[in-house]
Amino acid sequence: MTDSDYSQSDVNQKLVDQYTEIARLAGGLAHEIKNPLSTIRLNMELLAEDFEDSESPRERRALRKVQVVQRECQRLQDFLDNFLSYAKVRNLRLEPTNLNDHVDRVFDFFRPKAAEAGIELVTYLASDLPTVLLDREAFHAALLNLVLNAEQAVPRGGQIVARTRATGDGVALDLIDTGCGMDEATRSKIFDAFFSTKSGGSGLGLPTARKIVEAHGGQITVQSELGRGTQFTIKLPVPARLEADVKE
């Protein structure tokens, strides 16, 4: 290895260390904000209870103001939870599993909400998928994020389709929706932290999903067209030792 190789390696390691330190500090700051926020939320709940049965116009106005603060506190709480999920360093607990099982689990969880929204869930799951290594809870969170994102784009009567297939070196999941789609400018930014097209959205759901997929050694891509829907594709590798087990 040459001096330049060592130099580049040192630079890369410094960047990793800096990112880790920034993530640690940001996570600590978010936790520190959550503590006084919890106190504010508790006191707002108590104030709301005090004004709940009030009949005077002045006290009713005060109650409405308290409710505004409660909503904003909840929005901040949700944002902090999403940020902590995005920023944390993930130590995955990988287990051999079938990708189809995860798709079924997420769709079963989401089915009541889909029925309420008038959205049809459709699956085309390949029966010959090789086994992959997944962290059950982390991958569930990533896939659920994608399904919820699709649900927000699909009108009543639309569909969300999950399709799994084997690839040359692993497995793939296509998540397709018949929603409003995205233009090229939006599509190029959807994995950027804090970018959101939804009012009040944190812009961290899709970036978090990508981080989880990449932590599994996979990749996620998107295709979309305005008025024609969107397709997210997750590709996951099959580890060599699992591949060897299958051949035996």
Side-chain angles (χ1 to χ4, degrees):
M1 185 176 287
T2 66
D3 291 342
S4 61
D5 291 331
Y6 278 114
S7 177
Q8 185 61 48
S9 176
D10 290 343
V11 170
N12 290 340
Q13 186 57 50
K14 286 181 180 179
L15 290 174
V16 170
D17 292 343
Q18 287 174 359
Y19 169 79
T20 303
E21 178 64 10
I22 290 171
R24 186 186 68 80
L25 291 172
L29 176 60
H31 277 296
E32 288 301 316
I33 294 173
K34 289 183 73 171
N35 291 332
L37 179 62
S38 296
T39 302
I40 295 170
R41 292 182 67 189
L42 175 60
N43 280 277
M44 287 299 103
E45 289 174 10
L46 295 174
L47 275 174
E49 290 176 5
D50 289 342
F51 289 122
E52 189 173 9
D53 298 322
S54 301
E55 296 184 359
S56 74
R58 181 178 181 180
E59 292 183 343
R60 298 304 295 176
R61 287 195 300 273
L63 177 59
R64 286 193 294 271
K65 293 173 182 176
V66 169
Q67 290 169 338
V68 169
V69 176
Q70 285 182 300
R71 287 194 297 271
E72 291 302 300
C73 284
Q74 184 60 55
R75 191 163 72 91
L76 182 56
Q77 178 72 51
D78 293 341
F79 177 83
L80 289 172
D81 290 340
N82 289 333
F83 177 77
L84 287 170
S85 178
Y86 173 75
K88 72 179 179 182
V89 177
R90 301 182 185 280
N91 297 312
L92 300 179
R93 299 178 59 184
L94 299 175
E95 299 174 344
T97 187
N98 189 297
L99 179 59
N100 290 344
D101 295 338
H102 286 272
V103 175
D104 283 334
R105 181 185 175 210
V106 169
F107 268 37
D108 286 345
F109 176 82
F110 183 69
R111 204 170 299 281
K113 186 172 183 180
E116 183 180 334
I119 296 173
E120 182 183 10
L121 301 181
V122 182
T123 57
Y124 300 102
L125 306 181
S127 59
D128 58 347
L129 286 183
T131 299
V132 291
L133 291 175
L134 296 177
D135 181 296
R136 180 182 177 88
E137 297 307 320
F139 194 79
H140 176 85
L143 187 50
L144 184 59
N145 250 324
L146 293 175
V147 172
L148 290 173
N149 187 75
E151 180 255 340
Q152 292 168 356
V154 174
R156 179 170 290 274
Q159 288 185 337
I160 298 176
V161 179
R163 178 177 64 202
T164 59
R165 51 192 168 89
T167 63
D169 55 356
V171 299
L173 165 63
D174 301 318
L175 190 69
I176 307 160
D177 70 64
T178 59
C180 57
M182 294 175 280
D183 59 26
E184 184 176 354
T186 300
R187 190 170 61 250
S188 67
K189 296 178 181 179
I190 58 170
F191 292 118
D192 292 350
F194 306 117
F195 175 78
S196 177
T197 59
K198 298 182 287 287
S199 176
S202 68
L204 291 172
L206 291 178
T208 300
R210 184 176 69 171
K211 282 188 67 176
I212 292 172
V213 170
E214 291 179 348
H216 283 82
Q219 65 180 61
I220 181 171
T221 57
V222 60
Q223 303 174 58
S224 189
E225 187 175 337
L226 276 176
R228 301 195 64 179
T230 299
Q231 174 178 316
F232 286 94
T233 297
I234 295 174
K235 292 184 177 180
L236 297 166
V238 174
R241 66 180 180 82
L242 295 181
E243 198 169 24
D245 291 343
V246 171
K247 292 178 180 178
E248 291 175 3

